[in-house]
Amino acid sequence: MQLYNTLSAEERAELIDQAGKQRLTLSFYAYAKIEDPKKFRDDLFIAWNQLDALGRTYVAKEGINAQMSVPAENIEAFRETLEVYDFMKNIRLNVAVDQDDHSFLKLTVKVRDKIVADGLNDETFDVTNIGVHLKAAEFNKILDNPNTIVVDFRNHYESEIGHFKGAITPDVETFRESLPIINAQLKDFKEDKNLVMYCTGGIRCEKASAYFKHQGFKNVFQLEGGIINYAKQIKEENIESKFIGKNFVFDHRLGERITNDIVSQCHQCGKPCDNHTNCENDGCHLLFIQCEECKDKMENCCSAECLETTHLPLVEQVKLRRGIQIGNKIFRKGKSDKLLFKHSGELSDISLAKSDKSVVIRQKNKVKKMILGKAEHYYVKAQIALFIIENNELKIGDTILISGPTTGNEELILEKMLVNGKENTFAKPGDKVTFETPFRIRLSDKLFKIIS
């Protein structure tokens, strides 16, 4: 009984490319009483794994919160795995605006204390006494009411690239931070104002609306299905979008375009931009906005210090990270004094530029390839690339592809290489290979062999 992933993200991406089948990115949530979250988790993993469903899901005694990537041909079978549970019959699946076959590359189902970290004691108020759900047209209408206060219950890095016009956008890094701030800020309007709230898919507002009703707010409303469902409805019903910019999402896409307005700036140069990057330095991973020019110049790094670090041999980088917290504990959400054009808190509704089109974040790879390994170092003066072979075999005469977010996709025919320091015609897993490249490589680059 398989209850874990057996493939790496790179291997999974390769299989998706080779399959050439459309996948749908979607999300859903449901509050319900789950007696045994561990068994619930295991049953879901087994059922979803059989359908090649990937994604990130949290389950708790209070319910489920999921973001998924599912083969389009399996979508009905996937829905059936949900509807065997009474509390998920006819559940709304929020299908993404921008589709990307690589939005998720692993299946993760985790048991948590809560499906959203809200910091609330649910025993102190009625979590089922929620606000009034509003569809897109109703939401637009209430926003036009001068008696309405609209609040964005997402974090600063989410609202910066897109938000509803006139919304209060708290300068917070977590959902739990926003609740007491908003409560204090609006304490004088509990009786007479319409408190209208929204978030990405609706789950944060589901709990927040009950919390604010408990705090004494009389007129509480929430956007049904969040920004994702709003975007779908305005397109289907051909109505005005009062949301401007991009909707931040928590998968490899990092955003989906709702309107062609760009309302944020590259954090490094100030150019209108709304594309997020994770700093290439494994000891940083700062999330920030970076334009293509700065991405190329800084090699996906947030600062000169991080850029310098990525050029060090891997063993030196590991030494620098020793003793530093790893993983999500160091994953900072865009707060650094090195980012000169970072904006958060009170945001403008003014469009700084227009996006030419909705960018397809990752095109399906029409070339069949197999992954060989990853970059370890680049010797700038000699123009020599060093790779570690992790999978499959490499030989002289092979057509190889070096691919990365900054390097792009570069093909060449391998004519000469050193294997573990000596000239050789053949390399196997575990070997270190070096060869000349007429272009610079980065540590994020992967080495593939073209097979057709």
Side-chain angles (χ1 to χ4, degrees):
M1 183 170 61
Q2 183 183 332
L3 293 172
Y4 54 89
N5 292 278
T6 59
L7 297 175
S8 68
E10 290 82 4
E11 290 170 323
R12 177 69 69 178
E14 181 61 23
L15 288 178
I16 289 173
D17 286 338
Q18 290 179 13
K21 296 180 180 179
Q22 181 190 9
R23 300 182 68 90
L24 296 177
T25 301
L26 54 90
S27 61
F28 62 92
Y29 70 89
Y31 280 99
K33 187 175 182 180
I34 299 175
E35 295 291 346
D36 189 348
K38 174 65 168 58
K39 183 179 185 305
F40 182 58
R41 177 264 174 208
D42 293 351
D43 291 345
L44 289 179
F45 192 102
I46 293 168
W48 291 351
N49 190 56
Q50 293 173 350
L51 297 176
D52 192 24
L54 307 171
R56 183 191 306 112
T57 297
Y58 299 134
V59 298
K61 289 187 175 181
E62 67 174 1
I64 181 171
N65 179 18
Q67 294 85 41
M68 305 292 297
S69 170
V70 181
E73 64 185 16
N74 292 343
I75 194 66
E76 289 306 316
F78 178 78
R79 181 179 281 278
E80 289 175 5
T81 68
L82 306 180
E83 294 192 344
V84 297
Y85 303 96
D86 289 339
F87 71 89
M88 287 195 285
K89 288 190 181 299
N90 300 314
I91 191 170
R92 180 186 62 248
L93 302 180
N94 286 330
V95 179
V97 177
D98 292 334
Q99 291 298 332
D100 177 5
D101 291 345
H102 292 239
S103 58
F104 290 100
L105 296 174
K106 289 187 177 182
L107 175 58
T108 304
V109 187
K110 294 184 177 181
V111 176
R112 291 284 180 86
D113 291 333
K114 289 193 172 189
I115 55 177
V116 176
D118 51 40
L120 298 175
N121 181 355
D122 295 354
E123 302 299 322
T124 61
F125 66 101
D126 183 359
V127 296
T128 66
N129 184 23
I130 61 176
V132 177
H133 285 87
L134 300 175
K135 297 186 183 301
E138 299 169 319
F139 194 80
N140 279 3
K141 183 176 180 180
I142 202 169
L143 292 189
D144 289 334
N145 187 331
N147 204 43
T148 291
I149 297 174
V150 59
V151 181
D152 190 324
F153 275 92
R154 300 172 303 153
N155 307 322
H156 67 84
Y157 54 91
E158 299 175 80
S159 58
E160 185 178 11
I161 62 170
H163 49 269
F164 279 97
K165 297 175 182 178
I168 295 173
T169 52
D171 186 12
V172 296
E173 291 208 17
T174 63
F175 173 51
R176 70 174 67 191
E177 289 179 64
S178 65
L179 297 175
I181 291 174
I182 292 299
N183 190 36
Q185 190 171 345
L186 303 181
K187 65 181 186 305
D188 295 330
F189 304 102
K190 293 183 178 182
E191 297 286 338
D192 55 344
K193 295 288 186 180
N194 297 321
L195 175 58
V196 180
M197 56 187 67
Y198 69 91
C199 56
T200 306
I203 187 170
R204 283 177 270 192
C205 294
E206 202 77 9
K207 185 70 71 69
S209 66
Y211 169 78
F212 282 101
K213 291 186 73 173
H214 175 70
Q215 293 297 319
F217 289 85
K218 301 300 183 185
N219 307 306
V220 180
F221 304 85
Q222 61 192 96
L223 178 59
E224 184 179 55
I227 301 165
I228 297 174
N229 197 42
Y230 178 87
K232 177 185 176 183
Q233 289 180 0
I234 61 172
K235 183 176 181 180
E236 291 176 345
E237 300 173 25
N238 193 28
I239 59 179
E240 175 192 4
S241 175
K242 291 187 178 293
F243 185 95
I244 182 171
K246 283 174 75 173
N247 178 31
F248 185 95
V249 292
F250 293 89
D251 57 55
H252 290 301
R253 296 172 299 152
L254 292 178
E256 53 184 17
R257 186 161 297 287
I258 308 302
T259 72
N260 66 351
D261 301 284
I262 298 175
V263 297
S264 53
Q265 298 172 275
C266 171
H267 287 164
Q268 292 174 320
C269 73
K271 175 183 176 181
C273 178
D274 53 14
N275 295 324
H276 278 97
T277 295
N278 282 326
C279 181
E280 194 66 29
N281 178 12
D282 285 336
C284 176
H285 283 316
L286 180 76
L287 180 70
F288 67 107
I289 297 174
Q290 188 178 47
C291 69
E292 290 302 315
E293 289 80 0
C294 289
K295 183 184 287 288
D296 186 57
K297 175 183 176 183
M298 299 297 295
E299 300 178 23
N300 285 34
C301 293
C302 70
S303 65
E305 292 83 355
C306 283
L307 178 60
E308 183 178 350
T309 298
T310 62
H311 288 176
L312 295 173
L314 183 59
V315 64
E316 294 298 323
Q317 294 186 49
V318 172
K319 285 182 181 178
L320 289 174
R321 296 199 299 269
R322 194 165 293 158
I324 299 176
Q325 289 180 316
I326 60 174
N328 289 333
K329 294 179 182 178
I330 62 167
F331 190 87
R332 308 192 319 279
K333 307 294 197 306
K335 289 294 185 72
S336 169
D337 56 9
K338 296 181 179 66
L339 303 178
L340 302 180
F341 296 92
K342 163 68 184 173
H343 300 289
S344 57
E346 194 170 326
L347 301 174
S348 171
D349 296 334
I350 297 174
S351 177
L352 302 177
K354 298 290 184 179
S355 173
D356 292 335
K357 59 183 178 179
S358 181
V359 177
V360 177
I361 299 173
R362 187 196 301 264
Q363 297 286 351
K364 284 184 182 177
N365 196 334
K366 298 179 181 178
V367 179
K368 286 191 176 182
K369 62 187 189 298
M370 61 175 63
I371 189 164
L372 295 174
K374 62 183 179 181
E376 183 171 277
H377 193 61
Y378 182 70
Y379 302 92
V380 179
K381 291 184 179 180
Q383 292 188 305
I384 297 291
L386 169 61
F387 286 87
I388 296 179
I389 303 299
E390 297 179 335
N391 306 284
N392 305 302
E393 298 172 342
L394 176 66
K395 64 181 184 298
I396 296 298
D398 284 342
T399 300
I400 58 175
L401 171 71
I402 298 174
S403 179
T406 300
T407 304
N409 294 311
E410 298 283 355
E411 285 188 30
L412 55 88
I413 297 175
L414 190 62
E415 298 178 347
K416 180 181 178 180
M417 68 175 170
L418 298 182
V419 180
N420 299 323
K422 297 181 179 180
E423 189 169 346
N424 207 328
T425 61
F426 175 85
K428 62 185 184 304
D431 289 341
K432 291 186 176 182
V433 300
T434 53
F435 50 84
E436 289 188 31
T437 59
F439 49 85
R440 185 177 195 142
I441 71 162
R442 285 85 179 174
L443 292 182
S444 57
D445 291 350
K446 300 294 188 296
L447 177 65
F448 298 87
K449 178 164 66 175
I450 304 298
I451 56 178
S452 68

